[in-house]
Amino acid sequence: SVPEIGSPARTKAILSRYHLVAKKSLGQNFLSDLNILRNIVAAGDVTDHDDVIEIGPGIGALTEQIAKQARKVVAFEIDENLLPVLDETLMDYDNVKIINQDILKANLPEVIKDEFEPGHPVKLVANLPYYITTPILMGVLQSGVDFASIVVMMQSEVADRLVATPGQKAYGSLSVVMQYRANVAVAFEVPRTAFIPQPNVDSAIVRLTPRDPLPIKPYEDQALFKFVKGCFAHRRKTLWNNLQGIFGKQPEVRERIESVLKEVGISQQLRPERLTLINFIELTNAFHNEGL
Ligand code: SAM
């Protein structure tokens, strides 16, 4: 019988049969290691009770491994040249549906309503196109879909930023915003040698699950995100400096900034990278209440 899609021999055969040249502009690096592909699906705990959304099926290597475990897979692929390829490689799986659409333009709640039956957990498993990792994750987390788990491969360096904690070098606005939205953990690392063609970065599998309830909420999500971005605008400067960048330097404004910091109990001299998610939420609300 034919080897599975993600074996190096089969991947090479498919690429050559269809004269496919991986498009760098679309982040096309095909994962070609069956153990890793299976471990990605295992990290999502995918069972035959689950419906799965995939982003960027490529030639179908990960899709095949998901299809073997899941009830149904719906995969979004932007590159129409891959449609005939996927038609053939996934021919034996009647639980796969490919949608030829840019994931950033997809209406996920609607697709889920149309393609899946209610009552089944919906999970997301993907080897992401790296050039749009952040917009994809933000879009997915803001889509209103209640994903039971999200397991995604991305560049190691971005994974480090997602899981970084206060005081670490990689800690920044992306860490805070993602950790506000979800529990985030690195499942395992993937070397560049597992891909055809090889990218020039190493990768990591990140697992996002529904976030533990927070003791406080920001008055508005977007206000929190904007505030966090503003605080990290100049990482090497103090919080005090960054806050003046956000709200202004006028003596009257400075006085109000000072009184908010006092009220929340945070030192002016801290660097933004020392603040926790809870600190950021408290400050967002306190500045809002102060009318700043
Ligand atoms: N899943 C395959 C694998 O693991 O070998 C391919 C992963 S490859 C890193 C990323 C895939 O995402 C490519 O197939 C690419 O064409 C697709 N892609 C890129 N931008 C996209 C977008 N905006 N919407 C949907 N798919 C996209």
Side-chain angles (χ1 to χ4, degrees):
S1 68
V2 221
E4 291 173 283
I5 304 165
S7 65
R10 178 92 186 276
T11 298
K12 284 176 197 154
I14 294 166
L15 296 179
S16 106
R17 187 161 128 65
Y18 286 93
H19 308 287
L20 288 175
V21 179
K23 296 191 179 101
K24 263 198 177 154
S25 63
L26 291 179
Q28 291 181 352
N29 298 95
F30 303 113
L31 182 54
S32 188
D33 181 315
L34 287 171
N35 269 323
I36 296 175
L37 287 158
R38 290 182 191 127
N39 288 339
I40 294 173
V41 181
D45 283 324
V46 175
T47 74
D48 60 7
H49 195 58
D50 300 329
D51 287 327
V52 178
I53 296 281
E54 190 197 349
I55 297 161
I59 60 172
L62 183 58
T63 323
E64 176 175 47
Q65 299 305 323
I66 302 168
K68 282 174 182 268
Q69 307 298 330
R71 211 181 72 88
K72 183 171 180 184
V73 194
V74 171
F76 290 89
E77 176 55 63
I78 198 172
D79 184 355
E80 63 179 0
N81 291 326
L82 293 174
L83 302 182
V85 183
L86 289 162
D87 262 351
E88 189 211 297
T89 58
L90 298 170
M91 184 170 62
D92 294 339
Y93 300 92
D94 57 11
N95 60 343
V96 174
K97 162 126 184 196
I98 306 292
I99 298 181
N100 181 207
Q101 195 185 14
D102 179 349
I103 185 64
L104 297 177
K105 297 190 177 134
N107 181 339
L108 282 176
E110 200 172 283
V111 169
I112 285 167
K113 191 160 78 49
D114 292 348
E115 300 292 339
F116 297 149
E117 274 168 27
H120 295 273
V122 180
K123 298 182 174 176
L124 190 144
V125 178
N127 174 6
L128 295 176
Y130 293 177
Y131 70 107
I132 42 173
T133 299
T134 308
I136 290 177
L137 285 179
M138 290 303 286
V140 163
L141 292 169
Q142 288 178 34
S143 65
V145 176
D146 207 0
F147 287 103
S149 68
I150 297 174
V151 169
V152 278
M153 175 140 65
M154 63 187 68
Q155 195 176 326
S156 280
E157 189 225 312
V158 178
D160 290 345
R161 288 164 59 201
L162 293 196
V163 300
T165 52
Q168 292 184 333
K169 215 171 143 199
Y171 187 64
S173 56
L174 190 64
S175 327
V176 180
V177 169
M178 287 295 169
Q179 292 169 29
Y180 171 67
R181 289 278 188 219
N183 289 349
V184 191
V186 170
F188 58 94
E189 310 274 340
V190 177
R192 61 192 78 182
T193 50
F195 298 84
I196 299 176
Q198 282 188 28
N200 44 23
V201 294
D202 292 312
S203 299
I205 305 298
V206 172
R207 186 177 146 87
L208 299 100
T209 46
R211 147 104 253 146
D212 302 327
L214 283 159
I216 51 167
K217 277 191 177 294
Y219 75 94
E220 205 183 75
D221 289 355
Q222 291 309 321
L224 170 69
F225 301 163
K226 196 172 153 209
F227 179 70
V228 172
K229 275 219 173 104
C231 287
F232 280 106
H234 305 282
R235 308 179 53 95
R236 305 309 312 154
K237 294 193 176 168
T238 59
L239 182 59
W240 176 239
N241 267 298
N242 279 296
L243 291 171
Q244 288 174 78
I246 299 174
F247 299 116
K249 293 184 170 42
Q250 308 87 309
E252 169 261 346
V253 173
R254 288 158 63 123
E255 231 166 73
R256 288 162 74 196
I257 295 176
E258 222 177 318
S259 95
V260 167
L261 288 179
K262 217 171 251 160
E263 172 200 323
V264 178
I266 287 174
S267 153
Q268 294 181 9
Q269 296 316 314
L270 276 187
R271 289 191 199 286
E273 71 214 35
R274 293 282 158 195
L275 297 181
T276 65
L277 169 59
I278 299 294
N279 291 152
F280 281 113
I281 297 174
E282 284 173 343
L283 287 171
T284 302
N285 291 346
F287 281 114
H288 179 64
N289 292 338
E290 177 60 36
L292 281 171

